[in-house]
Amino acid sequence: MVRPPRRLPDSSTSPPQPPDGEALLNEVLRAMRPLVRALLAAGVDYTRLAAALKPVFVDEARRALAQHGRKDTDSALSLLSGVHRKDIRSWRESGIPQRPTGELSISNRVFARWMQDPDYQDRRRRPRALPRLGPAPSFDSLASSVTLDVRPFNVLAELVRLGLVRIEPHENGDMVVPCRDGYVPPPGSLELLELFGGNVSDHAAAAVANLLGEAPRLEQSVFAESIRIESAKQLHELGRKLWAQARREMIAQAQHFYDADRAHPEATHRVRFGMYFWDDAINRTSADDTHEDDPHDSP
């Protein structure tokens, strides 16, 4: 009698297993190191961070309980988050601090529109100099296309303060010229902090969703080590070129969908597509090959 072939278990029916707590904590601490470096540079110490983390743990515990259909009692929140019940009771009476909305400032939104809208770009798809006043394309029309709540003059003054634009007088009126080296807000500015928070938060959210077995998100990287610094610089330049290509195509599609969807009652989603590059010195005794980290890809 022939034995039937053994069947592997169907992994699609198995619930995702939570990650090992100690292993996850070690990796979170590794991810926290550059963030702690930024906090220390800004004068934020451990005591202040620990106090600020308490309501974050409580808020996420509330979300977790709600997802499992459980009531967010003081005892349940305290047990899950590790925050003392008296703190939870105090926040419940006064209101738990709300999470940041993640909405960009007006100046960031105007400059982003300037970089993305073909009507305000030159032949090389870079933000072009605009007349300060007049019909589109002008800086007035650009600012007004983003918001009618803030006067274009005030938006312009903020961009000048940030060093993102300069004013050049011309015969027919002032021209607003984008600074070619100023596409990234200056270090330490509120605008750069907003971009920092949005980029790091959404990247972490995508990675955590994959880690917890939620709907797969695109979150990949290519890793290489044991190369010379000159090689790292060349890879950095290659990354910039690849980003420019991907960015142009993504912007075009995003603008298309935005124009088509913005008036739809179900237009409630947001997306962020990004790329990063990091190089650092390492101490190794043996060389490894190049690896492509591909544990979590979109289907």
Side-chain angles (χ1 to χ4, degrees):
M1 182 174 182
V2 179
R3 177 183 299 178
R6 299 177 62 184
R7 298 181 59 184
L8 294 172
D10 185 2
S11 59
S12 62
T13 60
S14 302
Q17 296 296 317
D20 177 76
E22 286 301 316
L24 175 60
L25 179 59
N26 287 335
E27 296 304 320
V28 168
L29 291 176
R30 181 158 69 114
M32 279 289 298
R33 283 190 174 274
L35 302 181
V36 170
R37 182 161 62 95
L39 289 171
L40 293 177
V44 179
D45 62 10
Y46 164 77
T47 302
R48 187 173 170 189
L49 173 63
L53 276 176
K54 284 185 179 182
V56 176
F57 269 81
V58 174
D59 191 33
E60 288 300 318
R62 291 173 64 179
R63 285 164 49 100
L65 290 172
Q67 288 176 352
H68 291 84
R70 298 171 56 190
K71 293 183 178 180
D72 60 343
T73 63
D74 291 356
S75 297
L77 288 173
S78 178
L79 182 63
L80 183 58
S81 68
V83 177
H84 200 282
R85 288 182 59 183
K86 67 177 183 180
D87 291 326
I88 296 175
R89 190 180 309 112
S90 175
W91 286 327
R92 195 184 293 278
E93 294 173 354
S94 60
I96 295 178
Q98 297 296 313
R99 69 183 64 190
T101 61
E103 184 176 354
L104 292 177
S105 66
I106 296 297
S107 56
N108 259 337
R109 289 163 57 194
V110 169
F111 204 78
R113 180 67 179 268
W114 200 350
M115 288 192 293
Q116 297 172 6
D117 194 328
D119 291 339
Y120 298 95
Q121 295 177 335
D122 60 20
R123 293 180 179 178
R124 298 177 63 183
R125 298 183 179 179
R126 299 180 305 177
R128 62 185 174 96
L130 300 173
R132 179 188 161 194
L133 305 174
S138 67
F139 185 83
D140 252 9
S141 66
L142 171 66
S144 298
S145 69
V146 174
T147 180
L148 297 176
D149 297 330
V150 181
R151 295 175 56 196
F153 176 85
N154 294 332
V155 177
L156 178 59
E158 180 64 8
L159 291 177
V160 170
R161 183 188 70 81
L162 292 170
L164 295 177
V165 303
R166 67 180 185 274
I167 308 299
E168 291 185 357
H170 283 260
E171 294 181 359
N172 299 326
D174 292 342
M175 297 291 291
V176 183
V177 181
C179 297
R180 294 304 183 193
D181 296 330
Y183 294 159
V184 177
S189 67
L190 175 61
E191 286 70 20
L192 192 58
L193 280 173
E194 290 173 344
L195 292 175
F196 160 79
N199 289 337
V200 174
S201 175
D202 284 349
H203 188 170
V208 169
N210 292 329
L211 183 68
L212 298 183
E214 300 174 9
R217 264 75 165 190
L218 174 64
E219 201 264 323
Q220 300 180 4
S221 66
V222 174
F223 173 71
E225 62 181 22
S226 299
I227 61 176
R228 296 178 300 118
I229 186 172
E230 292 81 5
S231 302
K233 290 179 178 179
Q234 291 187 40
L235 289 174
H236 192 189
E237 289 305 312
L238 175 61
R240 288 183 178 275
K241 292 179 181 179
L242 294 175
W243 163 246
Q245 297 170 9
R247 175 178 170 273
R248 283 195 297 267
E249 185 172 348
M250 184 63 73
I251 285 175
Q253 287 297 314
Q255 189 68 49
H256 168 76
F257 287 128
Y258 172 76
D259 293 337
D261 296 350
R262 58 181 172 179
H264 198 285
E266 295 181 1
T268 58
H269 275 63
R270 67 179 184 88
V271 300
R272 187 186 301 270
F273 173 74
M275 182 182 292
Y276 66 93
F277 183 95
W278 176 252
D279 68 276
D280 197 4
I282 56 173
N283 294 318
R284 289 186 57 84
T285 57
S286 61
D288 289 340
D289 294 330
T290 300
H291 307 284
E292 181 176 354
D293 296 333
D294 190 15
H296 306 303
D297 195 0
S298 56

Coordinates of all heavy atoms in Angstrom, one line a residue, residues 3-4 13 67 78 88 106 109 133 137 146 158 160 182 191 194 198 215 250 255 260 274:
R3 N 1.8 4.9 0.7 CA 1.5 6.0 1.6 C 1.2 7.3 0.9 O 2.1 7.7 0.0 CB 2.6 6.2 2.7 CG 2.3 7.3 3.7 CD 3.4 7.5 4.6 NE 3.7 6.3 5.4 CZ 4.7 6.2 6.3 NH1 5.5 7.2 6.5 NH2 4.8 5.1 7.0
P4 N 0.1 8.0 1.1 CA -0.1 9.3 0.5 C 0.9 10.3 0.9 O 1.5 10.2 2.0 CB -1.5 9.7 0.9 CG -1.7 8.9 2.2 CD -0.9 7.6 2.1
T13 N -4.0 29.9 7.1 CA -5.0 29.9 8.2 C -4.4 30.1 9.6 O -5.2 30.1 10.5 CB -5.7 28.5 8.1 OG1 -4.8 27.4 8.4 CG2 -6.4 28.3 6.8
Q67 N -9.4 47.2 19.3 CA -9.3 46.2 18.2 C -9.8 44.8 18.6 O -10.2 44.1 17.8 CB -7.9 46.2 17.7 CG -7.5 47.4 16.9 CD -6.0 47.4 16.5 OE1 -5.3 46.5 16.9 NE2 -5.6 48.4 15.7
S78 N -3.9 50.0 32.5 CA -2.7 49.9 33.4 C -2.0 48.6 33.2 O -0.8 48.6 33.1 CB -3.1 50.1 34.8 OG -2.0 50.0 35.7
I88 N -3.4 57.2 34.7 CA -4.5 57.0 33.7 C -5.8 57.7 34.2 O -6.5 58.3 33.4 CB -4.8 55.5 33.5 CG1 -3.5 54.8 32.9 CG2 -6.0 55.2 32.7 CD1 -3.6 53.3 32.8
I106 N 1.9 75.4 6.3 CA 1.5 76.0 5.1 C 2.7 76.2 4.2 O 2.6 75.9 3.0 CB 0.8 77.4 5.3 CG1 -0.5 77.1 6.1 CG2 0.5 78.1 4.0 CD1 -1.6 76.4 5.3
R109 N 3.6 73.0 2.5 CA 2.6 72.6 1.5 C 2.8 73.4 0.2 O 2.7 72.8 -0.9 CB 1.2 72.7 2.1 CG 0.9 71.6 3.2 CD -0.3 72.0 4.0 NE -1.5 72.3 3.2 CZ -2.5 72.9 3.7 NH1 -2.6 73.3 4.9 NH2 -3.6 73.0 2.9
L133 N 3.4 88.6 -8.3 CA 2.0 88.9 -8.4 C 1.5 88.5 -9.8 O 2.2 88.2 -10.7 CB 1.7 90.4 -8.2 CG 2.3 91.0 -6.9 CD1 2.1 92.5 -6.8 CD2 1.5 90.3 -5.7
P137 N 0.9 81.2 -14.1 CA 1.6 80.8 -12.9 C 2.4 82.0 -12.2 O 3.2 82.6 -12.8 CB 2.6 79.8 -13.4 CG 2.9 80.3 -14.9 CD 1.6 80.9 -15.3
V146 N -3.1 76.5 -2.6 CA -2.9 75.7 -1.4 C -3.8 76.1 -0.3 O -4.4 75.3 0.4 CB -1.4 75.7 -1.0 CG1 -1.3 74.9 0.3 CG2 -0.5 75.1 -2.1
E158 N 7.6 83.8 5.0 CA 8.1 82.6 5.8 C 9.1 81.8 4.9 O 10.1 81.4 5.5 CB 6.9 81.7 6.2 CG 7.3 80.5 6.9 CD 7.9 80.7 8.3 OE1 7.9 81.9 8.7 OE2 8.4 79.8 8.9
V160 N 11.0 83.1 2.6 CA 12.2 83.9 2.6 C 13.0 83.7 3.9 O 14.2 83.5 3.9 CB 11.9 85.4 2.4 CG1 13.2 86.2 2.6 CG2 11.4 85.6 1.0
G182 N 18.1 74.7 -1.7 CA 17.2 74.9 -0.5 C 16.0 74.1 -0.5 O 15.0 74.5 0.1
E191 N 9.9 73.2 9.9 CA 9.5 72.5 8.7 C 10.3 71.2 8.5 O 9.7 70.2 8.2 CB 9.8 73.4 7.5 CG 8.8 74.6 7.3 CD 8.9 75.6 8.4 OE1 10.0 75.7 9.0 OE2 8.0 76.4 8.6
E194 N 8.9 68.7 10.9 CA 7.7 68.1 10.5 C 7.9 67.0 9.5 O 7.3 65.9 9.5 CB 6.8 69.2 9.8 CG 6.2 70.2 10.8 CD 5.5 71.3 10.1 OE1 5.7 71.5 8.9 OE2 4.7 72.0 10.8
G198 N 7.1 63.0 10.1 CA 6.3 62.2 9.1 C 7.0 61.1 8.5 O 6.5 60.0 8.4
A215 N -1.8 43.8 6.8 CA -1.7 43.9 5.3 C -0.3 44.3 4.9 O 0.2 45.3 5.3 CB -2.7 44.8 4.7
M250 N 6.0 58.9 -9.5 CA 5.0 58.9 -8.4 C 4.3 60.2 -8.3 O 3.1 60.2 -8.0 CB 5.8 58.6 -7.1 CG 4.9 58.4 -5.9 SD 3.7 57.0 -6.0 CE 4.9 55.6 -5.8
Q255 N -0.6 63.2 -8.4 CA -1.4 64.3 -8.8 C -2.6 63.9 -9.6 O -3.7 64.5 -9.4 CB -0.5 65.2 -9.7 CG -1.2 66.6 -10.0 CD -1.3 67.5 -8.7 OE1 -0.3 67.6 -8.0 NE2 -2.5 68.0 -8.5
A260 N -8.6 63.5 -9.4 CA -9.8 62.7 -9.6 C -10.5 62.4 -8.4 O -11.8 62.2 -8.4 CB -9.4 61.4 -10.3
G274 N 8.8 57.0 -0.1 CA 10.1 57.6 0.2 C 11.3 56.7 -0.1 O 11.1 55.5 -0.5

